[in-house]
Amino acid sequence: YTSAAKAALIVATNPVFTACAVILFMGEVWNWRIGLGVALSLGGVIIVITQGNLALLLNQPLGLGELYMFGALASWVAYTLIAKK
């Protein structure tokens, strides 16, 4: 339902979403290094997915494959948080 490249990029953001979830739900401390890492990682993924044309984000809806991959990502983050607890 989606390309392997898009799926791989979505999965590659797992550490970013895990770090944000740990900060939000488990009380970890946020600092500038984490913020910079999150911003650079998400910025890079967005640039690669849109091939430098950021207008694609507004004009192209998420497909079923991307939604499945974000669901898998959410499951992986939830599993990591449960395992950490």
Side-chain angles (χ1 to χ4, degrees):
Y1 297 109
T2 189
S3 70
K6 282 186 182 179
L9 285 170
I10 292 170
V11 168
T13 61
N14 180 31
V16 172
F17 286 104
T18 301
C20 292
V22 167
I23 290 166
L24 288 173
F25 301 118
M26 301 187 89
E28 294 282 331
V29 178
W30 180 272
N31 61 44
W32 69 271
R33 281 182 263 158
I34 293 173
L36 180 62
V38 166
L40 288 174
S41 178
L42 291 179
V45 167
I46 288 170
I47 288 171
V48 170
I49 287 175
T50 63
Q51 299 172 347
N53 184 2
L54 298 180
L56 287 177
L57 288 177
L58 301 174
N59 298 334
Q60 192 175 39
L62 289 177
L64 185 60
E66 288 88 2
L67 292 176
Y68 282 155
M69 289 308 302
F70 280 115
L73 177 66
S75 297
W76 193 350
V77 169
Y79 170 79
T80 303
L81 293 181
I82 291 168
K84 181 175 173 67
K85 187 118 177 140

